[in-house]
Amino acid sequence: MSKLSVALVQQSCTADKDLNLAKSIENIRKASVLGARLVVLQELHAGPYFCQNEDTAHFDLAEPIPGPTTELLGGVAREFGVVLVSSLFERRAPGLYHNTAVVFEKDGSMAGTYRKMHIPDDPGYYEKFYFTPGDLGFEPIRTSVGKLGVLVCWDQWYPEAARLMALAGADLLIYPTAIGWDPRDDDDEKIRQKEAWITIQRGHAVANGIPVVSVNRVGHEADPSGVLPGSQFWGSSFVAGPQGEIIAQASNDGEELLIAELDLARSEAVRRIWPFLRDRRIDAYGDLLRRYRD
């Protein structure tokens, strides 16, 4: 079947993990009732975005994979018969942590994992303090609904990551995300940032001829240290088709269950008229392995 109904769960989060997960699970249930076969949760959906400051106590939020939350979510995927993309703070070993996406098959089994490769370090996004860069590469995860090119947030700014997923046969790109505005920015700057975020991901769809699913959190979250004004996560979760066309988009200020239908057969039709993969000059791209061409 080429038609795929996908659900994006855009939600706000608090420090109450049980409440956050209950909210996600209720949306997964609703999505299944509405016919979704693939459900995508936002980045680090079990809790607040703790990377706004550096505090070793936050490492207590991490858990092993497999672990209690993967057991819970696997059961949810099985109960509702959906392929589920989740995003967790992984405790791999003492002092070794990852930002990890976990994909569950509709029978509840773990189909695969992806560890975030690109790790930012900016005011309010101190992720290098918490996350070790991923070491699983850019490998699509095989599921009953297709090969999922799962990447995470900061990865979405890198065309190389999207391209490598596409070259490995991904049927679509998926980006669980946590991105927002600094409340001190003026309205014009806010618009530029959000439009850049949407545009770069639509560009990945165009360049690779496959759909993009991007789900972002929403709402204001305070900086635990009180130093910064916190982040206003801008929501705006969306689905784009293989020519970058917007198929569905959520609001920037409210929780939402966004449902969209993808026609995966369109990818081949688009690639036949825009054969970018055919015309790549791989013989001339060696310098891409350099940091910069000085």
Side-chain angles (χ1 to χ4, degrees):
M1 295 176 61
S2 65
K3 299 295 178 67
L4 174 63
S5 180
V6 57
L8 291 68
V9 179
Q10 175 175 295
Q11 68 180 72
S12 60
C13 290
T14 70
D16 188 331
K17 180 179 180 180
D18 291 339
L19 180 62
N20 298 329
L21 289 172
K23 190 186 299 185
S24 296
I25 292 168
E26 175 59 16
N27 277 293
I28 297 167
R29 183 194 68 79
K30 290 179 180 177
S32 70
V33 170
L34 293 171
R37 297 167 57 213
L38 171 63
V39 181
V40 183
L41 304 177
Q42 65 203 28
E43 184 182 20
L44 301 172
H45 54 80
Y49 182 74
F50 54 86
C51 305
Q52 293 194 64
N53 71 327
E54 296 183 355
D55 185 344
T56 56
H58 292 328
F59 287 109
D60 292 336
L61 298 171
E63 63 179 275
I65 296 175
T69 302
T70 58
E71 183 177 352
L72 171 67
L73 294 175
V76 170
R78 181 174 60 252
E79 178 181 358
F80 299 120
V82 298
V83 173
L84 177 63
V85 180
S86 67
S87 172
L88 303 173
F89 186 18
E90 178 187 5
R91 182 186 187 275
R92 185 175 179 182
L96 184 61
Y97 305 84
H98 295 280
N99 186 330
T100 302
V102 184
V103 179
F104 300 91
E105 187 48 88
K106 62 183 179 180
D107 64 0
S109 62
M110 277 201 296
T113 58
Y114 167 80
R115 289 175 175 145
K116 186 173 182 177
M117 294 283 279
H118 301 94
I119 311 297
D121 187 69
D122 298 294
Y125 295 87
Y126 298 111
E127 296 196 14
K128 280 186 167 64
F129 182 78
Y130 296 101
F131 306 131
T132 301
D135 56 1
L136 299 177
F138 301 104
E139 295 294 335
I141 296 172
R142 291 181 178 273
T143 73
S144 58
V145 298
K147 294 175 70 175
L148 309 183
V150 180
L151 298 158
V152 177
C153 200
W154 195 237
D155 293 326
Q156 63 207 177
W157 298 98
Y158 294 86
E160 299 90 343
R163 177 70 88 201
L164 287 169
M165 284 292 191
L167 291 178
D171 294 306
L172 67 161
L173 299 172
I174 297 175
Y175 294 98
T177 299
I179 190 170
W181 294 300
D182 183 329
R184 297 169 296 186
D185 288 334
D186 62 34
D187 289 343
D188 287 344
E189 175 61 17
K190 290 178 180 178
I191 291 171
R192 287 191 292 268
Q193 289 182 10
K194 192 182 81 167
E195 289 302 310
W197 174 75
I198 294 170
T199 300
I200 190 75
Q201 292 176 91
R202 292 178 69 186
H204 298 330
V206 174
N208 295 291
I210 53 178
V212 165
V213 173
S214 181
V215 55
N216 188 28
R217 67 205 292 136
V218 73
H220 182 266
E221 294 184 23
D223 173 9
S225 70
V227 174
L228 298 173
S231 288
Q232 182 67 41
F233 294 99
W234 64 50
S236 304
S237 302
F238 71 94
V239 178
Q243 289 174 301
E245 70 277 19
I246 297 293
I247 296 173
Q249 186 166 14
S251 69
N252 66 16
D253 58 2
E255 297 184 310
E256 195 166 337
L257 175 63
L258 186 67
I259 306 287
E261 185 174 87
L262 294 175
D263 182 357
L264 298 181
R266 283 201 60 242
S267 293
E268 178 151 1
V270 168
R271 283 181 172 181
R272 288 179 180 183
I273 61 170
W274 287 349
F276 299 139
L277 299 187
R278 182 196 68 190
D279 295 338
R280 294 176 65 240
R281 287 296 308 275
I282 58 174
D283 58 312
Y285 295 160
D287 280 350
L288 287 176
L289 296 179
R290 298 171 62 181
R291 179 70 64 185
Y292 187 75
R293 295 177 68 187
D294 297 290

